[in-house]
Amino acid sequence: MGLSAETALVLFSGGQDSTVCLAWALDRFARVETVGFDYGQRHAVELTVRPEIRDALSALNPDWAARLGEDHVIDLAVLGQISDTALTRDVAIAMADNGLPTTFVPGRNLVFLTFVAALAYRRGAKHLVAGMCETDYSGYPDCRDDTIKAMQVALTLGMDRRFVVHTPLMWLDKAETFALAQDIGGEGLLDTVVERTHSCYLGDRSHRHDWGYGCGECPACQLRAAGYKKWREDRARR
Ligand code: ZN
């Protein structure tokens, strides 16, 4: 795909999905900036792995290094204050009565996209890239394709500026996300995703599995482990 001369802002948490999204954007846009949010997550591991991943991607590809611009970390402590969920307080990770896991922070992605768009407005960027995915997530309503499309329209109207929200992972499962990483950046990107990205809800960076670090038990670890296993099996058949 050809290179766009425009700027993209990537919602970048340091997880597997947003790291693949960052590589996807670096492959397509002449300038790419990253945006992270500090909202009192119980484990700030994902915030500490972010600069390491940025450095690793720059080291993989000199074109990516030239395109990778600033990193912005926005303090959204207020989101932690109004949310009572397993990610921000000591609440057990379980399924709540509404069928959503207790890791659900109501409206989180709506807030994130609004702040990214406000930043993009100031920086003259049209493209927002985010790792929302409808395929094998836990049913978070703010990850749905319709939600994201509605946000694109709302932000474009509300700021009177054309925004395009790209969600390259929307219809991929975790195995297909590993495959996309390989397509974009080969073994180097795959190694970076496995070794450096963080998904575990418990912030475990001490147990190393073939799919990366994590407790191995929480929903995020189980999803990542199953996706990696399926991807390995798919690749062996090719
Ligand atoms: Zn875990």
Side-chain angles (χ1 to χ4, degrees):
M1 184 170 163
L3 183 71
S4 164
E6 295 177 326
T7 298
L9 262 60
V10 179
L11 217 165
F12 178 55
S13 71
Q16 176 186 351
D17 290 347
S18 68
T19 297
V20 176
C21 283
L22 176 54
W24 182 91
L26 287 167
D27 226 25
R28 278 164 181 76
F29 295 98
R31 182 173 175 82
V32 177
E33 300 180 10
T34 49
V35 187
F37 294 96
D38 185 350
Y39 56 100
Q41 297 95 315
R42 286 205 300 196
H43 304 283
V45 175
E46 61 182 44
L47 291 176
T48 62
V49 299
R50 292 173 75 260
E52 298 170 10
I53 294 168
R54 282 172 46 95
D55 291 346
L57 294 188
S58 292
L60 280 178
N61 184 324
D63 290 334
W64 292 0
R67 295 169 195 163
L68 183 59
E70 282 177 55
D71 183 35
H72 312 268
V73 177
I74 298 174
D75 182 353
L76 273 185
V78 64
L79 191 60
Q81 289 166 19
I82 61 166
S83 303
D84 188 8
T85 78
L87 287 187
T88 51
R89 303 260 184 90
D90 281 334
V91 177
I93 294 171
M95 297 304 283
D97 293 341
N98 60 4
L100 290 170
T102 49
T103 48
F104 174 60
V105 179
R108 179 176 58 180
N109 287 327
L110 309 183
V111 175
F112 286 178
L113 283 172
T114 303
F115 274 82
V116 174
L119 193 59
Y121 184 100
R122 288 281 180 213
R123 303 187 69 77
K126 179 168 94 177
H127 300 277
L128 317 180
V129 182
M132 290 80 171
C133 169
E134 217 182 268
T135 307
D136 61 3
Y137 262 44
S138 314
Y140 294 165
D142 58 347
C143 290
R144 289 179 189 149
D145 193 46
D146 283 354
T147 304
I148 304 305
K149 287 187 163 67
M151 281 302 286
Q152 173 175 301
V153 174
L155 294 168
T156 294
L157 291 174
M159 298 190 195
D160 197 20
R161 180 76 64 84
R162 175 68 174 144
F163 293 113
V164 181
V165 183
H166 302 266
T167 52
L169 310 185
M170 182 58 76
W171 306 110
L172 305 183
D173 63 20
K174 277 278 186 263
E176 291 167 328
T177 300
F178 279 112
L180 177 63
Q182 187 175 38
D183 288 346
I184 295 172
E187 296 298 319
L189 181 57
L190 271 173
D191 289 347
T192 300
V193 167
V194 169
E195 188 66 28
R196 296 183 186 275
T197 69
H198 186 80
S199 313
C200 177
Y201 287 149
L202 301 183
D204 186 330
R205 295 291 293 170
S206 59
H207 296 95
R208 176 65 157 83
H209 313 264
D210 57 351
W211 45 264
Y213 289 95
C215 71
E217 302 293 332
C218 76
C221 282
Q222 288 180 4
L223 195 59
R224 179 163 165 156
Y228 189 78
K229 182 166 178 285
K230 179 169 179 290
W231 169 71
R232 290 284 292 267
E233 290 165 359
D234 291 348
R235 189 166 74 158
R237 270 199 294 276
R238 264 193 253 164

